[in-house]
Amino acid sequence: MSTVARTLRTIRKTGIRDFLHQMQNIGDTKAGTYIASDRYGNKYYENLEQELPLRTRWVDYKDSEYNPDQIEPGWHAWMSYMVDKPPTEDALLRTGVRPWELTEHKPNLTMTRGAFKTYST
């Protein structure tokens, strides 16, 4: 939840369009430094000065109908504060460099028709 002063400061920094986008999608107002985007179009931000501890990194999903499994493993590690450098700066976190990695992301199919079901006789 944002205070009035923080909301006005965010509108001044990001503009009214981004402010309305944030309120509709994440329900909070944030302004920070754009870090990078992943291959799915998600944008990652960081603000170390004005945010509370462990709330300094956030993602702006490409689609309004988002699912948390749309974040790649390297970006998940950065978002969870497991590593300090984002995958764009850390060679170990980049995707597509290992031969055993999946080329396409496989979504979580729980609670859908494609979910795994055990065979009962």
Side-chain angles (χ1 to χ4, degrees):
M1 188 70 181
S2 295
T3 62
V4 174
R6 179 179 165 187
T7 302
L8 294 174
R9 187 172 48 242
T10 303
I11 291 173
R12 191 183 77 224
K13 286 183 180 179
T14 63
I16 196 79
R17 181 175 178 227
D18 285 339
F19 165 74
L20 293 173
H21 173 75
Q22 287 179 1
M23 288 305 290
Q24 182 177 6
N25 289 333
I26 63 174
D28 194 8
T29 58
K30 293 179 176 259
T33 307
Y34 172 75
I35 301 298
S37 62
D38 61 8
R39 60 181 166 175
Y40 302 114
N42 301 327
K43 297 176 187 173
Y44 297 90
Y45 296 92
E46 184 173 36
N47 184 352
L48 297 175
E49 291 88 31
Q50 299 172 349
E51 292 294 326
L52 295 171
L54 298 178
R55 291 187 53 132
T56 58
R57 299 174 181 170
W58 68 94
V59 60
D60 183 15
Y61 291 98
K62 179 183 173 189
D63 301 325
S64 59
E65 294 292 326
Y66 62 88
N67 191 353
D69 72 347
Q70 295 171 341
I71 296 180
E72 295 177 354
W75 284 108
H76 179 267
W78 181 75
M79 292 280 298
S80 303
Y81 300 93
M82 291 185 227
V83 294
D84 292 330
K85 294 181 183 177
T88 54
E89 298 175 11
D90 194 353
L92 291 174
L93 296 176
R94 290 198 182 118
T95 56
V97 294
R98 296 166 192 85
W100 47 266
E101 277 186 68
L102 297 174
T103 55
E104 262 317 296
H105 174 67
K106 209 172 160 187
N108 184 0
L109 300 175
T110 303
M111 300 300 290
T112 65
R113 291 181 64 95
F116 175 76
K117 294 183 181 79
T118 56
Y119 177 75
S120 66
T121 55

